[in-house]
Amino acid sequence: MGKGRVEAFTDGVVAIIITIMVLDLKVPEGEDFSTLLPQWPIFLCYVLSFINVGIYWNNLHNMFHTVQRVDGRVLWANLHLLFWLSLMPVTTAFMGENHFATVPVAVYGFVLAMCATAYTILVLALHQLHGQDTAFAKAVGNDRKGRISLAVYIAAVPLTFLDRWIGVALYVAVALVWLVPDTRFSRVLEK
């Protein structure tokens, strides 16, 4: 089957996720800068989550440009990823409202790890559908960055219980690594 519907559906779900996250930002009561101070954890969590959701959207967009079709496995793998992404607003609010407390930071990391796992499953499903000698397979390569990111998320969750800021730092580090433009797909498409 064609890929257009899965792309449109994914775009819609990601847009809703980001909208829900921004709705958790409350307008401060007051008119001076001191009223903004209590909001900093919530705002920082929103920024981190917005970046993470944006990274997945960007990667999915690039990835689906290199594939020709989807099948039932790909649809379910994509839904699996969207399920975990849909939990981002809740875990973002949980972490922000609790000022980066240990358990909320660990729960947030668990969801990030599950998003990365689901993304890996989607990549495998697309790889299996399209085979080795396709633009998709060439662009993904060994997906070292994806595998390392997943490993960092998995390690970050227990490390959060040693110090919550280790977990936060690792989540930020992975996001920063992915902010560097990933040219794998564009290089393959240009050939």
Side-chain angles (χ1 to χ4, degrees), residues 70-138:
V70 296
D71 65 2
R73 284 178 306 202
V74 171
L75 293 176
W76 281 110
N78 192 60
L79 278 174
H80 180 227
L81 173 58
L82 293 176
F83 168 78
W84 290 107
L85 285 173
S86 75
L87 294 177
M88 290 298 290
V90 175
T91 57
T92 300
F94 187 41
M95 188 167 66
E97 293 288 337
N98 291 293
H99 297 251
F100 297 97
T102 301
V103 170
V105 171
V107 170
Y108 184 82
F110 174 76
V111 169
L112 287 175
M114 293 308 297
C115 287
T117 300
Y119 181 82
T120 301
I121 291 169
L122 177 58
V123 168
L124 292 172
L126 284 166
H127 197 276
Q128 189 174 28
L129 177 64
H130 289 84
Q132 290 286 68
D133 295 328
T134 61
F136 171 77
K138 291 174 186 170

Side-chain angles (χ1 to χ4, degrees), residues 30 41 44-46 48 76-78 80 82 96 101 104 106 108 110-111 121 131 142 152 168 170 172 187-188 190:
L44 287 180
C45 290
Y46 168 75
L48 179 60
W76 281 110
N78 192 60
H80 180 227
L82 293 176
Y108 184 82
F110 174 76
V111 169
I121 291 169
N142 66 10
V152 170
V168 173
L170 290 172
V172 169
R187 275 195 318 256
V188 167
E190 288 171 0

